[in-house]
């Protein structure tokens, strides 16, 4: 199996496979790459409907150029906390970002969410996010505003009156409850349509079935989230040191 970065020819094959409606696994088999490589490549470069081989190749070259420019600064950065492998952490962050994108989160929002999630403190300032992600302050601001609207991130006032953006241990619970509320709202709107279009009519019946289905899903999701939080929630161990470096025992 070939290693290293994708070639331009491989990206063209990916684009052709997407155009033919092939699943990622089949595209990966044809170019002899892991499915995760193809998935990450597509999601980082516009998604399955907007992927373009030439644009993806140029974007990858630009990212590599930025990483080479940032290498001297990275060498001066403090070591990873708790003896972690920096390369493994970086690769995992990319994987987590890709999964968030596959679930429907826009790319920049997914990157911010992943960056916050893997930090031990669970909170970073805007400037810290800008530095870690190598993006503009405006991009971070827009991403955080979206995540706040989805109840996935909250804002706290930190030292020197600087905001910190926090993703706490209940972020998945909060996300599930927000999804349940959104689903319930769609169900209620569908039920309103029954009165407008008429009970018993084809359209009215379709909306009635939609409303019943979504009401059941919403109630079940909220109930399951409450039960899981009560039974499965685990508190992290108290570890000396901060997010920027190892503690005394590391």
């Amino acid at each position: 199996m070939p290693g290293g970065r994708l070639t331009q020819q491989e990206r063209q094959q990916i684009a052709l496979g997407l155009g033919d409606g092939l699943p990622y696994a089949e595209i990966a088999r044809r170019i002899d790459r892991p499915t995760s490589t193809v998935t990450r490549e597509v999601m980082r470069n516009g998604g399955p409907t907007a992927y373009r081989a030439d644009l993806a190749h140029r974007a990858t070259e630009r990212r590599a150029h930025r990483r080479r420019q940032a290498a001297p600064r990275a060498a001066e950065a403090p070591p990873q906390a708790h003896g972690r492998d920096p390369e493994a952490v970086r690769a995992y962050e990319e994987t987590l970002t890709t999964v968030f994108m596959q679930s429907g989160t826009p790319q920049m929002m997914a990157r911010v969410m992943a960056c916050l999630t893997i930090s031990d403190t669970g909170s970073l300032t805007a400037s810290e996010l800008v530095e870690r992600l190598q993006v503009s302050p405006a991009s971070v601001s827009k991403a955080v505003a979206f995540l706040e609207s989805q109840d996935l991130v909250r804002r706290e006032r930190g030292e020197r009156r600087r905001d910190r953006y926090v993703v706490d241990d209940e972020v998945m619970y909060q996300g599930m409850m927000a999804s349940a509320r959104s689903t319930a709202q769609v169900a209620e709107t569908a039920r309103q349509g029954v009165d407008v279009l008429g009970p018993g009519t084809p359209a009215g019946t379709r909306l009635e079935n939609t409303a019943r289905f979504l009401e059941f899903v919403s109630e079940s999701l909220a109930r399951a989230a409450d039960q899981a939080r009560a039974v499965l929630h685990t508190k992290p161990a108290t570890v000396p040191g901060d997010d920027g470096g190892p503690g005394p025992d590391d």
Side-chain angles (χ1 to χ4, degrees), residues 10 22 36 40 50-51 56 72 82 88 150 152 163 204 208 231:
E10 286 174 322
L22 298 178
S36 60
R40 184 164 56 247
Y51 182 84
H82 316 305
Q150 301 298 307
L152 295 173
D163 285 339
E208 174 67 27
V231 174

Side-chain angles (χ1 to χ4, degrees), residues 182-242:
S182 177
T183 302
Q185 185 175 16
V186 177
E188 175 60 25
T189 302
R191 192 164 293 286
Q192 292 171 8
V194 176
D195 293 333
V196 174
L197 298 169
T201 66
T205 300
R206 185 181 307 114
L207 287 169
E208 174 67 27
N209 289 332
T210 298
R212 288 179 178 176
F213 175 80
L214 294 179
E215 285 168 351
F216 180 84
V217 169
S218 175
E219 292 169 3
S220 299
L221 182 59
R223 188 182 307 112
D226 281 331
Q227 291 172 345
R229 181 175 64 162
V231 174
L232 303 177
H233 186 71
T234 301
K235 292 288 186 182
T238 301
V239 179
D242 57 22

Side-chain angles (χ1 to χ4, degrees), residues 6-25:
L6 290 167
T7 65
Q8 190 161 13
Q9 183 179 9
E10 286 174 322
R11 290 190 167 94
Q12 289 169 350
Q13 290 180 273
I14 290 174
L16 289 173
L18 292 172
D20 291 339
L22 298 178
Y24 293 153

Side-chain angles (χ1 to χ4, degrees), residues 39-107:
T39 302
R40 184 164 56 247
E41 165 71 12
V42 174
M43 298 308 295
R44 290 184 69 182
N45 294 285
T49 60
Y51 182 84
R52 299 292 182 272
D54 54 342
L55 296 179
H57 197 70
R58 288 200 293 270
T60 300
E61 290 179 339
R62 287 196 298 271
R63 285 193 293 266
H65 179 67
R66 286 199 299 268
R67 282 196 293 269
R68 285 194 296 270
Q69 288 183 319
R73 288 197 308 169
E76 300 171 4
Q80 280 283 326
H82 316 305
R84 294 170 180 141
D85 178 353
E87 187 61 24
V89 172
R90 184 198 63 78
Y92 176 72
E93 184 173 355
E94 285 196 6
T95 299
L96 185 59
T97 298
T98 300
V99 170
F100 284 151
M101 291 169 63
Q102 288 178 308
S103 71
T105 306
Q107 183 177 13

